[in-house]
């Protein structure tokens, strides 16, 4: 026990002298959590608070195009502004850049006439199918399409949402005009506005209920998603300090000097694991505390901790142990500190990508969906998400902890084999 205590003191002193390593393990993850959560929180609330600027060029002079513009503004996604005198694509591009618009829409000429003609044609067909006499209306031609210009920075998912919003406004305009034409054909008078609104706005409500293990109905926010994910990333980033520490001891000859002492180097490895396991637990405590107390003062949603604190501690402990095991494994096989830091940083980013920290696992396909199972971060994230998002208990995360524990044991065995191969134990 004396040997282990002395080694612990040595490793703690080495850690405290590593100012850069401490910054990478604590300051950088905190900045990352704040920045990513703030950005993603703005994205989640795009429809409710932040509106996409859209520039509309109306080449039509009828009232139906004016109604379309009004309906686009009612969607809630867009901040509508009008462009005048836009004749070609170059002019639209310049106008969009001039007003910082992410989207541009051109309503073609004769839009109102063609929508009205098509609506009357459909109304006439409906009257005929009812067995009623209808005015002869020649077959209407196709309506010229709307043209949507978009800034390439818009991601495909957001662009599809925008297209769906514009399409719903266009469908509403066409349905309204068809309904007016059909009513006029039957009653020979204009459709009352109150009846029109009642018929068009008679929508069935949709209830959104999040699924949870404990039956709670709290809707998860950006904080609940991001804080656990980037806490895992911070834990694995101890490789920048721990991996380098192992390499320095090899390069400086400390391993050889330790072999002359009446102890085994496995004691030194155990000491490093205990020291840095404490660091990972402290990282989690700091980042979780930041989410609980600091985020509300920054305009972000507060982090809600799971009700099962024991499960939270066990997940954090196993995740931290896996991160430490990976860092030591890399340090044992790396020949220089540059190799350890370079490979460590790149491999952590890769494991984070395939593990679901940067791209959700359910969005992956083929090889990468299967590869997620070999990333320890995947199992860490699934365990945390079960606790934070689904209100799970310890029994609900066993299926995530077991694979993570197996990966940790494999890393430990590889480390021991590496030490034996290098005659260090």
């Amino acid at each position: 026990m004396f040997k282990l205590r002395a080694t612990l003191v040595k490793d703690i002193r080495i850690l405290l002298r590593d100012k850069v390593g401490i910054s990478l393990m604590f300051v950088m993850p905190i900045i990352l959590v704040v920045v990513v959560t703030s950005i993603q929180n703005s994205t989640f609330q795009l429809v409710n608070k932040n509106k996409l600027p859209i520039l509309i060029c109306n080449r039509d002079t009828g009232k139906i195009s004016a109604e379309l513009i009004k309906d686009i503004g009612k969607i809630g996604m867009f901040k509508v502004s009008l462009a005048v005198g836009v004749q070609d694509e170059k002019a639209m591009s310049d106008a969009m850049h001039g007003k910082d618009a992410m989207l541009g829409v051109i309503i073609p000429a004769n839009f109102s006439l063609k929508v009205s003609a098509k609506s009357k044609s459909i109304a006439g067909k409906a009257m005929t199918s009812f067995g009623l006499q209808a005015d002869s209306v020649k077959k209407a031609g196709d309506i010229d399409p709307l043209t949507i210009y978009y800034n390439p920075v818009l991601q495909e998912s957001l662009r599809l949402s925008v297209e769906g919003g514009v399409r719903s406004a266009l469908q509403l305009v066409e349905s309204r005009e068809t309904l007016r034409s059909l009513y006029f054909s039957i009653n020979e008078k204009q459709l009352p506005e109150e009846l029109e609104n009642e018929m068009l706005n008679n929508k069935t409500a949709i209830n959104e209920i999040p699924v949870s293990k404990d039956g709670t109905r709290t809707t998860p926010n950006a904080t609940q998603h991001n804080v656990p994910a980037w806490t895992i990333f911070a834990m694995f980033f101890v490789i920048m300090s721990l991996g380098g520490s192992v390499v320095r001891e090899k390069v400086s000859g400390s391993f050889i000097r330790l072999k002359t002492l009446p102890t085994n180097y496995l004691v030194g490895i155990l000491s490093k694991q205990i020291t840095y396991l404490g660091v990972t637990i402290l990282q989690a405590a700091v980042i979780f505390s930041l989410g609980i107390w600091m985020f509300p003062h920054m305009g972000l949603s507060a982090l809600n901790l799971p009700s099962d604190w024991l499960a939270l501690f066990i997940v954090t402990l196993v995740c931290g142990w896996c991160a430490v095991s990976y860092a030591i494994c890399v340090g044992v096989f790396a020949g220089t500190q540059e190799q350890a830091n370079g490979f460590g940083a790149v491999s952590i980013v890769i494991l984070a990508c395939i593990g679901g920290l940067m791209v959700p696992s359910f969005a992956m396909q083929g090889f990468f969906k299967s590869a997620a199972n070999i990333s320890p971060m995947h199992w860490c994230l699934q365990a945390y998400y079960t606790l934070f998002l689904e209100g799970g208990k310890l029994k609900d995360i066993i299926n995530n902890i077991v694979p993570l524990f197996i990966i940790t044991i494999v890393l430990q065995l590889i480390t021991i084999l590496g030490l034996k191969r290098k005659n260090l134990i």
Side-chain angles (χ1 to χ4, degrees):
M1 184 59 76
F2 171 76
K3 297 175 184 178
L4 179 60
R5 185 169 65 250
T7 312
L8 281 170
V9 172
K10 181 262 296 182
D11 286 326
I12 293 173
R13 287 178 177 176
I14 292 175
L15 173 63
L16 293 176
R17 291 171 187 166
D18 188 7
K19 308 298 183 185
V20 176
I22 292 175
S23 299
L24 288 172
M25 290 186 292
F26 286 94
V27 180
M28 292 297 290
I30 289 175
I31 295 175
L32 191 63
V33 168
V34 173
V35 171
V36 173
T37 305
S38 300
I39 293 174
Q40 201 168 87
N41 187 64
S42 299
T43 304
F44 284 172
Q45 296 181 354
L46 178 63
V47 175
N48 296 328
K49 294 184 179 180
N50 304 322
K51 296 183 179 181
L52 284 173
I54 184 172
L55 188 64
I56 299 179
C57 173
N58 187 8
R59 295 177 179 173
D60 181 65
T61 56
K63 72 171 187 176
I64 297 180
S65 59
E67 291 178 354
L68 175 61
I69 296 174
K70 185 178 180 181
D71 288 334
I72 290 176
K74 289 181 178 179
I75 293 174
M77 292 179 63
F78 309 113
K79 179 182 179 182
V80 178
S81 57
L82 300 179
V84 181
V86 174
Q87 299 298 328
D88 53 26
E89 182 177 340
K90 179 66 169 57
M92 174 57 82
S93 177
D94 293 339
M96 287 175 62
H97 283 101
K99 294 193 175 183
D100 292 328
M102 301 298 292
L103 298 156
V105 177
I106 293 182
I107 302 176
N110 298 322
F111 174 79
S112 296
L113 288 175
K114 291 190 175 183
V115 170
S116 178
K118 188 174 182 179
S119 299
K120 290 178 180 178
S121 176
I122 294 174
K125 291 179 182 179
M127 293 285 290
T128 303
S129 67
F130 294 158
L132 302 175
Q133 184 177 1
D135 295 334
S136 59
V137 179
K138 65 179 181 178
K139 184 177 180 180
D142 292 335
I143 303 172
D144 294 335
L146 271 66
T147 303
I148 299 180
Y149 296 88
Y150 64 89
N151 193 310
V153 302
L154 283 179
Q155 294 182 350
E156 184 178 6
S157 58
L158 186 55
R159 195 173 73 247
L160 292 175
S161 299
V162 166
E163 183 182 343
V166 174
R167 194 179 297 277
S168 65
L170 181 59
Q171 187 175 12
L172 178 62
V173 167
E174 293 176 343
S175 299
R176 181 189 294 121
E177 192 61 25
T178 301
L179 192 60
R180 289 172 178 172
S181 299
L182 185 59
Y183 187 89
F184 185 83
S185 298
I186 296 174
N187 299 285
E188 295 186 353
K189 61 180 180 179
Q190 298 296 327
L191 175 65
E193 183 177 352
E194 183 179 348
L195 179 59
E196 176 185 304
N197 292 332
E198 185 176 348
M199 296 176 72
L200 290 174
N201 297 321
N202 184 23
K203 299 177 182 178
T204 302
I206 298 176
N207 293 328
E208 296 183 10
I209 301 177
V211 178
S212 62
K213 301 286 186 181
D214 59 356
T216 58
R217 292 292 181 258
T218 304
T219 302
N221 50 51
T223 300
Q224 299 295 112
H225 281 85
N226 280 287
V227 171
W230 296 109
T231 299
I232 297 169
F233 191 80
M235 288 180 179
F236 277 82
F237 232 72
V238 298
I239 195 172
M240 302 300 291
S241 177
L242 178 52
S245 174
V246 174
V247 173
R248 281 195 302 271
E249 289 188 355
K250 290 194 301 181
V251 173
S252 65
S254 297
F255 277 10
I256 299 176
R257 290 194 295 273
L258 287 172
K259 289 181 71 174
T260 64
L261 298 176
T263 185
N264 192 304
Y265 188 66
L266 286 178
V267 176
I269 293 294
L270 178 61
S271 170
K272 291 184 183 299
Q273 293 195 41
I274 294 175
T275 300
Y276 281 88
L277 182 57
V279 170
T280 58
I281 294 174
L282 184 60
Q283 284 177 313
V286 170
I287 297 176
F288 290 166
S289 299
L290 181 73
I292 295 171
W293 289 298
M294 290 297 294
F295 274 21
H297 297 287
M298 301 167 64
L300 300 172
S301 301
L303 177 70
N304 298 314
L305 290 180
S307 58
D308 193 340
W309 283 50
L310 176 61
L312 178 62
F313 177 76
I314 292 176
V315 170
T316 304
L317 190 67
V318 177
C319 290
W321 188 30
C322 186
V324 170
S325 301
Y326 181 73
I328 292 178
C329 186
V330 171
V332 167
F333 285 94
T336 64
Q337 190 171 348
E338 288 76 14
Q339 288 181 3
N341 291 342
F343 176 81
V346 173
S347 64
I348 291 304
V349 173
I350 293 174
L351 290 174
C353 288
I354 65 176
L357 270 71
M358 298 183 180
V359 178
S361 299
F362 64 81
M364 298 180 183
Q365 299 294 331
F367 168 77
F368 291 102
K369 193 173 185 66
S370 302
N373 294 326
I374 66 174
S375 172
M377 292 191 185
H378 168 73
W379 301 107
C380 295
L381 187 63
Q382 293 304 311
Y384 269 136
Y385 274 1
T386 300
L387 296 177
F388 279 90
L389 302 180
E390 300 181 28
K393 305 293 183 181
L394 181 59
K395 61 182 177 63
D396 299 314
I397 58 173
I398 296 298
N399 292 337
N400 303 127
I401 294 179
V402 171
L404 186 60
F405 186 77
I406 292 174
I407 293 174
T408 304
I409 296 299
V410 170
L411 290 172
Q412 294 279 342
L413 293 175
I414 294 174
T415 300
I416 293 174
L417 291 175
L419 291 172
K420 287 185 176 181
R421 182 181 176 185
K422 296 176 182 292
N423 296 319
L424 298 174
I425 58 174

